[in-house]
Amino acid sequence: MNRLFSAAAIVALLGVCQLSAQPPQRPAKQKYEVSFFGGWSFVGDRSFVTARDDGSVSTVGVDFDSGPAFAFRVTDNFSNHLGAELEYAFADHDSTFTNLSPTVPLLNVKQHLHKLTYSAVIYPTDRRGRVRPFAIVGAGATYFQTSTDQDELALSNGIDLKSRWKLAFTYGGGVKFMMGDRWALRMDVRSQVANVPDYGLPRQSVTIEGVIGPALRPEGFYQNWQVGAGFTYLLRD
């Protein structure tokens, strides 16, 4: 995955250099922008050492599939070099849970990520050029939404996963290519870091009538990478 990001960064850099060599255009001053985004989202797999009430431990895994991502953004440009952006993003991440309990060693779950973020947008060059590189840094929240249609075997063994909100930190960057006074092509790479949710599961398993129940001890963070492109509509002051 690191090679993929490196290759994408090199391609974007070459594109910026080529367009930067062309004469800049001077569109009318734009303050507000509305952007629509489509791309791909990646979340790393994680494993967690989880204790059982009999003194033993198990390793519980949560493996996120990569999936499509879509976003809607509203940007308020305060000046040539600073702005703020509100984003809603949706990503589809079906997931596999392993070793939640001895009776359910594998559980496939439908999972979606809903992300709300408010970020500062930093433009290192004059925004009114044809090519507008930018960096973003901000904070928000991620909603880990699991399907309510759980497998009957999982439910019979006490595994009823719950959706959870988690605070998140976001950073990244990209570039906008102006296509006239009102439209721009936008390319983004950004990462959102959030605490691991507990999905409503206990941190330590409990044995009832000889049956070891499910448990998950979440520690650390998930890092969600989002790569893609979209169109931006610029509103005049």
Side-chain angles (χ1 to χ4, degrees):
M1 188 175 296
N2 289 333
R3 293 180 180 177
L4 173 64
F5 292 138
S6 298
I10 292 172
V11 172
L13 179 60
L14 291 175
V16 169
C17 293
Q18 181 179 0
L19 285 174
S20 297
Q22 301 178 13
Q25 64 182 31
R26 289 287 185 176
K29 181 182 178 183
Q30 314 289 355
K31 180 172 174 61
Y32 298 104
E33 302 176 4
V34 178
S35 302
F36 301 91
F37 166 96
W40 209 252
S41 182
F42 309 86
V43 180
D45 301 335
R46 292 294 310 273
S47 59
F48 309 96
V49 176
T50 302
R52 294 175 176 171
D53 60 357
D54 62 359
S56 64
V57 296
S58 64
T59 300
V60 178
V62 185
D63 300 337
F64 282 80
D65 293 340
S66 60
F70 305 93
F72 173 76
R73 299 171 182 140
V74 177
T75 308
D76 181 0
N77 295 307
F78 307 138
S79 68
N80 273 340
H81 297 287
L82 184 63
E85 184 169 86
L86 180 65
E87 177 194 55
Y88 165 74
F90 168 87
D92 188 7
H93 289 287
D94 290 347
S95 305
T96 301
F97 289 74
T98 56
N99 294 328
L100 282 177
S101 74
T103 53
V104 185
L106 191 70
L107 178 63
N108 296 316
V109 176
K110 294 286 186 181
Q111 184 164 209
H112 306 300
L113 268 59
H114 301 266
K115 296 177 282 186
L116 292 172
T117 307
Y118 187 74
S119 304
V121 185
I122 303 166
Y123 300 95
T125 60
D126 191 325
R127 275 196 308 112
R128 294 185 297 174
R130 180 177 180 181
V131 179
R132 300 178 179 176
F134 62 90
I136 68 104
V137 60
T142 298
Y143 185 57
F144 293 81
Q145 181 186 27
T146 59
S147 172
T148 57
D149 185 18
Q150 299 290 327
D151 182 85
E152 290 185 5
L153 177 62
L155 291 174
S156 66
N157 285 274
I159 302 176
D160 184 14
L161 302 182
K162 304 295 184 183
S163 301
R164 288 288 189 262
W165 281 100
K166 285 295 178 180
L167 296 178
F169 169 74
T170 297
Y171 63 92
V175 62
K176 301 174 187 177
F177 303 96
M178 296 304 301
M179 300 186 300
D181 287 353
R182 290 298 188 97
W183 289 94
L185 172 65
R186 173 172 173 163
M187 301 175 64
D188 285 75
V189 177
R190 61 179 62 196
S191 175
Q192 188 170 60
V193 181
N195 287 104
V196 179
D198 61 11
Y199 296 101
L201 296 169
R203 294 176 62 86
Q204 178 176 304
S205 65
V206 177
T207 302
I208 300 177
E209 297 181 354
V211 178
I212 300 175
L216 173 66
R217 184 180 180 180
E219 292 183 340
F221 302 92
Y222 277 132
Q223 187 165 21
N224 177 205
W225 285 98
Q226 186 173 285
V227 181
F231 289 98
T232 296
Y233 182 72
L234 299 92
L235 304 175
R236 296 182 187 274
D237 285 351

